[in-house]
Amino acid sequence: MSQAAHRSDQRPADTRSSPRALRALGPFIRPYRGRIALAGIFLVLAAVTTLVLPIALRALIDQGLISSDPAERVALMQEHFLALFGVGAALGVFSAARYFMVSWLGERITADLREAVYRHVLKQSPEFFERTQTGEVVSRLTADTTLIQTVVGTSVSLGLRNSIMGAGALLMLIITNPVVMAQVLGALVLILMPAILYGRRVRKLSRASQDRIAEASAIAAEVLNAVPVVQSHAAEAREAARFGASTEQAFRTAERRIRARAFLVAFIITATTGAMLWGLYQGTQAVMAGRISAGHLGQTVLYVILLLGSVAALSEVYSDILRAAGATERLMELLAAKSPIADPARPRALPAVQGGARVSLDHVVFHYPSRPQQAALHDVSLDVAPGETVALVGPSGAGKTTVFQLLLRFYDPQSGDIRIDGVSVRELSLHALRERIAIVPQDSTIFSASAMDNIRYGRPDATDDDVVAAARAAHADGFIRQLPEGYATHLGERGVRLSGGQRQRINIARAILKNAPLLLLDEATSALDTESERAVQAALEEAMQGRTTLVIAHRLSTVVHADRIVVLDGGTIVDMGTHQELMARSGLYARLAAMQLHDA
């Protein structure tokens, strides 16, 4: 098993996250400036309507209750209650419009961000996945984007609304009662100071919590993709304990974050209640002394409540923003990843070919990024003519699969050049290069889709008849038709409903359907029994006609009819020739053949 937590352990939890990190969301926000402006208008209207409520209440108290004539008092009460209802109805409409707009923006911006990150990750070279676990990427695409959605779709709106209400309430307090305003400002200072101090702690713990969740997700993704191996080693308890330990670590980190926020909330509520009661006490003394009216007191109390409530809400919003800032940083790290394999500024066009492609390797030297001291290929030169079938054989680690990875330009060699039809692969767009190549990998890949869609994956515009023809050529048509819904049968995640040989034949049918000039077969029949191997081998030989084919095979019986056999050992070509020529020379190839014959 790989180390699920090594990546996060190599970096500090984070000490620099700040709300400024949210600026990185600018490119995703700008396309919706019109909707943002409309949401801002509704937000301001809702906030202003809230600020009008205390004024309407003051008028109700001071004007609706002072008339000595009962009939006039009832009429005034009705007018003021209708006015209050109108204010409340307007507040409901504006709040609903604000909620819809900001929620839509949160969903839309988050969807765009998730899609952009996923699209960018798909373009990364295998080097990226050598240092980044897929489980961690999935965690960022789900948990982190959910945090951002909460902030963009809820917290920012609440923060702006409370900022407007707080500023408006403060302004009205200055106008109506400067003394109470001075006391409230003192309370604000007491509330804001711990919020700022604790904000730093919450910020660090938020990033650490997100990292711990990502580690647990990485462990789960790794193990769930290898459940048969885990069960065959009776390692269920071990893996459950490992996941449990990681989850417990995530919980402990989250617990520290929650404790810090809980302390801050307790302080804010206590301070807010004390400030409100103090303002109310001062107001009642002023009413009793005749300095202000009862309606004035009611208005003042409501504005104090609005102001302190806004401050309390802003402290909560600030905590959410800090968590979203950490999530944004993690997503921006993915977006900032630069693949060393990229399209050239001015890609060349490949010449049209009839039949197979020409493949040339010229003094290629390559080291994997994770093993810079060990050469996977050393001074390898090979020229494959159009339509030729060349087999690559040799012991494990000889460099056979590396040749395929370089042809597909998953990596670039440190020196030397690789050309397809006379054009260096570095001068081609990745799409144009890979469109010219079909591959049957050693590890058969089945997507969670129907059999028809799995075969059509190599050529999305293929007709159903084309798919069926490819399946017949790969000797897959028989077992596919026996599935419950035939070609429409959903094959399950990673093809769990199929045997290994059936999965491989689906992959072979996919490559046949693509009909590319260059065919790469990486142990294409390794998962087949002898009878199926013979049938599929015959189909592959038919499919190879008219195209260039490179074959990797440990079973030498599958390559004896190749036009040429290239023997690799230790990253270099040690021999080359036909099966008969290589057997006559009694070299490495002959020894490998002898060992297989002995084992048989």
Side-chain angles (χ1 to χ4, degrees):
M1 295 292 176
S2 60
Q3 296 177 355
H6 80 283
R7 178 169 164 77
S8 295
D9 291 342
Q10 291 175 346
R11 66 179 177 222
D14 184 62
T15 58
R16 300 183 298 277
S17 298
S18 75
R20 289 191 297 273
L22 294 175
R23 293 177 183 175
L25 297 177
F28 300 95
I29 294 173
R30 278 193 288 273
Y32 307 106
R33 288 188 293 258
R35 287 182 176 268
I36 292 172
L38 192 58
I41 291 172
F42 288 128
L43 186 148
V44 171
L45 289 174
V48 170
T49 306
T50 304
L51 292 170
V52 171
L53 277 173
I55 299 175
L57 181 63
R58 177 179 178 178
L60 171 66
I61 296 172
D62 287 347
Q63 299 175 22
L65 299 177
I66 60 174
S67 176
S68 57
D69 184 357
E72 183 180 355
R73 185 184 304 137
V74 170
L76 287 172
M77 290 280 287
Q78 291 175 345
E79 290 179 7
H80 287 295
F81 272 109
L82 284 173
L84 278 171
F85 177 77
V87 173
L91 177 60
V93 171
F94 295 145
S95 297
R98 173 196 62 83
Y99 169 79
F100 174 80
M101 295 301 299
V102 298
S103 297
W104 186 94
L105 286 166
E107 294 285 353
R108 180 69 267 169
I109 291 169
T110 303
D112 291 348
L113 176 62
R114 189 179 289 123
E115 181 181 354
V117 173
Y118 185 70
R119 187 184 300 273
H120 186 72
V121 169
L122 285 180
K123 294 180 180 178
Q124 298 304 304
S125 70
E127 180 181 347
F128 172 85
F129 296 98
E130 288 181 13
R131 63 176 189 272
T132 306
Q133 289 186 308
T134 54
E136 183 173 348
V137 174
V138 171
S139 174
R140 297 190 188 194
L141 284 171
T142 52
D144 289 355
T145 53
T146 300
L147 278 175
I148 294 173
Q149 178 183 334
T150 299
V151 169
V152 175
T154 304
S155 299
V156 170
S157 171
L158 290 176
L160 291 173
R161 182 169 67 88
N162 281 286
S163 297
I164 295 172
M165 288 198 310
L170 182 60
L171 178 62
M172 294 303 296
L173 282 173
I174 293 174
I175 295 172
T176 59
N177 199 328
V179 175
V180 174
M181 181 274 299
Q183 296 171 350
V184 169
L185 284 178
L188 284 177
V189 172
L190 291 176
I191 294 172
L192 287 174
M193 284 180 62
I196 293 173
L197 293 174
Y198 263 82
R200 298 175 182 174
R201 176 172 175 77
V202 171
R203 183 172 67 230
K204 297 175 184 177
L205 291 174
S206 295
R207 175 61 189 260
S209 177
Q210 289 156 223
D211 285 342
R212 299 292 88 76
I213 292 172
E215 291 168 11
S217 298
I219 291 174
E222 179 184 50
V223 173
L224 290 176
N225 282 327
V227 166
V229 176
V230 173
Q231 293 176 344
S232 66
H233 287 80
E236 297 94 329
R238 269 202 327 268
E239 292 300 340
R242 189 161 70 106
F243 180 77
S246 181
T247 303
E248 187 66 20
Q249 188 179 14
F251 169 75
R252 295 301 177 194
T253 306
E255 185 181 39
R256 292 197 297 272
R257 172 179 58 80
I258 294 169
R259 188 182 296 116
R261 288 191 65 177
F263 179 83
L264 182 60
V265 168
F267 182 86
I268 289 173
I269 292 176
T270 303
T272 301
T273 303
M276 182 185 69
L277 291 175
W278 175 253
L280 181 60
Y281 174 77
Q282 293 294 317
T284 54
Q285 295 298 313
V287 171
M288 293 173 63
R291 294 194 297 273
I292 61 173
S293 67
H296 190 164
L297 172 61
Q299 174 183 301
T300 300
V301 170
L302 282 179
Y303 278 131
V304 169
I305 292 173
L306 285 175
L307 177 59
L308 296 179
S310 296
V311 173
L314 285 172
S315 68
E316 286 290 311
V317 167
Y318 185 66
S319 296
D320 290 338
I321 288 175
L322 289 176
R323 294 185 68 198
T328 301
E329 284 187 337
R330 286 162 51 85
L331 287 167
M332 291 305 122
E333 286 175 4
L334 291 181
L335 281 175
K338 298 295 184 183
S339 174
I341 308 300
D343 288 336
R346 294 182 178 179
R348 290 180 57 185
L350 278 166
V353 295
Q354 295 293 332
R358 176 174 290 278
V359 178
S360 301
L361 283 74
D362 185 15
H363 299 287
V364 171
V365 176
F366 175 68
H367 302 250
Y368 281 101
S370 58
R371 304 188 297 273
Q373 305 302 322
Q374 179 182 353
L377 292 178
H378 181 69
D379 196 28
V380 171
S381 295
L382 178 65
D383 189 71
V384 182
E388 187 179 12
T389 297
V390 173
L392 305 178
V393 301
S396 297
K400 304 181 296 295
T401 301
T402 301
V403 172
F404 281 17
Q405 291 182 323
L406 294 178
L407 284 172
L408 287 161
R409 209 182 167 214
F410 291 156
Y411 302 91
D412 280 335
Q414 279 74 34
S415 65
D417 194 21
I418 300 171
R419 294 183 297 277
I420 302 290
D421 293 318
V423 182
S424 172
V425 295
R426 297 176 190 262
E427 299 176 350
L428 296 170
S429 72
L430 295 175
H431 178 78
L433 169 65
R434 293 167 185 172
E435 276 293 296
R436 191 153 285 202
I437 301 173
I439 183 170
V440 179
Q442 181 175 1
D443 297 323
S444 55
T445 300
I446 300 296
F447 297 98
S448 184
S450 68
M452 181 74 71
D453 290 337
N454 264 281
I455 297 174
R456 188 183 275 126
Y457 193 82
R459 207 176 92 206
D461 59 346
T463 65
D464 290 356
D465 289 341
D466 292 335
V467 172
V468 172
R472 287 199 184 109
H475 289 250
D477 180 70
F479 78 79
I480 291 176
R481 291 191 183 276
Q482 293 176 2
L483 295 173
E485 298 176 52
Y487 281 85
T489 302
H490 192 276
L491 300 182
E493 185 178 4
R494 292 178 288 112
V496 293
R497 297 183 178 182
L498 303 178
S499 68
Q502 289 172 336
R503 288 197 296 270
Q504 193 69 301
R505 277 180 274 177
I506 292 285
N507 276 256
I508 293 169
R510 184 186 299 157
I512 291 173
L513 179 66
K514 188 173 182 180
N515 195 30
L518 176 58
L519 179 62
L520 306 181
L521 304 176
D522 187 356
E523 296 286 351
T525 60
S526 61
L528 305 180
D529 55 49
T530 303
E531 182 178 353
S532 296
E533 180 184 2
R534 288 172 182 168
V536 174
Q537 189 67 37
L540 284 174
E541 289 175 1
E542 182 179 343
M544 290 183 224
Q545 299 299 318
R547 64 171 55 87
T548 305
T549 306
L550 292 179
V551 184
I552 293 175
H554 285 102
R555 295 184 189 175
L556 301 186
S557 59
T558 63
V559 300
V560 293
H561 300 299
D563 297 320
R564 271 191 299 163
I565 299 173
V566 177
V567 185
L568 289 162
D569 189 22
T572 61
I573 296 176
V574 296
D575 209 346
M576 187 185 308
T578 65
H579 171 72
Q580 291 78 10
E581 291 170 348
L582 293 173
M583 290 297 292
R585 284 200 280 269
S586 300
L588 175 59
Y589 180 85
R591 292 198 300 273
L592 292 172
M595 284 189 291
Q596 288 193 12
L597 182 62
H598 180 268
D599 292 339

